[in-house]
Amino acid sequence: MRIFDAHFHIINFDFPIIENQGYTPPSYVVEDYQKETALFNVEGGALVSGSFQEFDQNYLLNSLTQLGPAFCGVTQLPYTVTDDEILHLHKNGVRALRFNSQRGGSEDLSRLDSLARRVFELAGWHSELYIDAKYLPEIASTLEALPAISIDHLGLSEEGLPHLLKLVEKGIRVKATGFGRVELNVKNALQAIYSINPDALMFGTDLPSTRAKRPFEWADVEMIQELFDEQAADKILYQNARKWYNK
């Protein structure tokens, strides 16, 4: 099966790494990622900035250069970012903005509406939220009105799944990532989301799976292949994310 890895991280201590909630991640450079995925049919992907990288863009641009044009970036930006900075990042392969409500290190959700609209109108970027879906009702009306939004890690919790599904009905996309960090029935969540919108699910390895109870394993891909027919599995593992990131 071909894969577009819609969510993974690079941790390069040649660039600033910020301790987050008492946690400092281990090194995981581009060569580590390439070695770990060498036997997978990864045809592209989205490199996601983590809480521990805050607003540093240099690591991201450096990593994208190494990864090549099949890959794109998901970054965190302050509200004060200039249009020129956004366009520079776009020219160098960045395609989305991340709000990290779960861990911090990003702009506050109070800026979500205006900043998400700004990057979409300026560069065509969607915005991604790392948030426990149980908190989605507090911002649901905002999310529904925004042009392009995705939610990380299946929304994290069983309690939040009903709220996530309501947003999937409205066109919100969902990262099928981090199965080792969620508190929900992954199989049921995948099937429920797909049944509502076959275009919504986007698989990612979540490598190197920092702070997860268990890291990514190939069985996560096999589970998708077992749950869905070949056409549906290809949408989840490859097509949906490739189209979402315009790659």
Side-chain angles (χ1 to χ4, degrees), residues 60-74:
L60 183 59
L61 298 181
N62 176 268
S63 298
L64 289 175
T65 298
Q66 294 181 66
L67 287 162
F71 290 81
C72 61
V74 180

Side-chain angles (χ1 to χ4, degrees), residues 11 16 23 28 39 54 106 112 130 179 194 199 204 212 227 231-232:
I11 304 158
Y23 176 81
Y28 191 78
L39 298 180
E54 295 190 342
S106 69
L112 170 63
Y130 183 16
F179 299 163
Y194 189 87
D199 296 328
L227 282 176
Q231 182 178 0

Side-chain angles (χ1 to χ4, degrees), residues 62-214:
N62 176 268
S63 298
L64 289 175
T65 298
Q66 294 181 66
L67 287 162
F71 290 81
C72 61
V74 180
T75 194
Q76 297 166 157
L77 293 173
Y79 189 73
T80 54
V81 65
T82 67
D83 287 357
D84 285 345
E85 288 172 308
I86 294 169
L87 292 172
H88 173 72
L89 291 171
H90 183 80
K91 182 180 179 181
N92 286 278
V94 179
R95 292 294 180 268
L97 173 67
R98 192 185 201 206
F99 291 85
N100 191 333
S101 176
Q102 185 74 4
R103 300 290 186 188
S106 69
E107 186 54 86
D108 189 79
L109 283 180
S110 64
R111 303 287 197 177
L112 170 63
D113 186 75
S114 57
L115 190 52
R117 290 182 186 279
R118 184 177 163 213
V119 299
F120 180 82
E121 292 167 3
L122 187 63
W125 294 1
H126 68 268
S127 291
E128 309 189 357
L129 275 71
Y130 183 16
I131 187 172
D132 190 320
K134 66 184 179 182
Y135 299 117
L136 287 175
E138 301 171 15
I139 57 172
S141 60
T142 298
L143 295 179
E144 290 175 20
L146 288 172
I149 295 290
S150 68
I151 306 294
D152 290 348
H153 306 316
L154 299 173
L156 291 174
S157 72
E158 197 71 50
E159 180 183 351
L161 184 59
H163 306 304
L164 181 67
L165 296 179
K166 289 179 182 177
L167 288 173
V168 172
E169 292 176 354
K170 304 291 186 177
I172 302 296
R173 307 302 176 94
V174 180
K175 295 279 193 82
T177 58
F179 299 163
R181 70 172 70 251
V182 303
E183 299 289 344
L184 51 71
N185 185 311
V186 172
K187 292 181 179 181
N188 289 346
L190 292 172
Q191 291 173 318
I193 294 166
Y194 189 87
S195 69
I196 294 170
N197 182 1
D199 296 328
L201 286 170
M202 303 179 290
F203 172 78
T205 62
D206 192 36
L207 286 169
S209 308
T210 54
R211 286 187 273 203
K213 293 186 295 294
R214 72 156 177 84

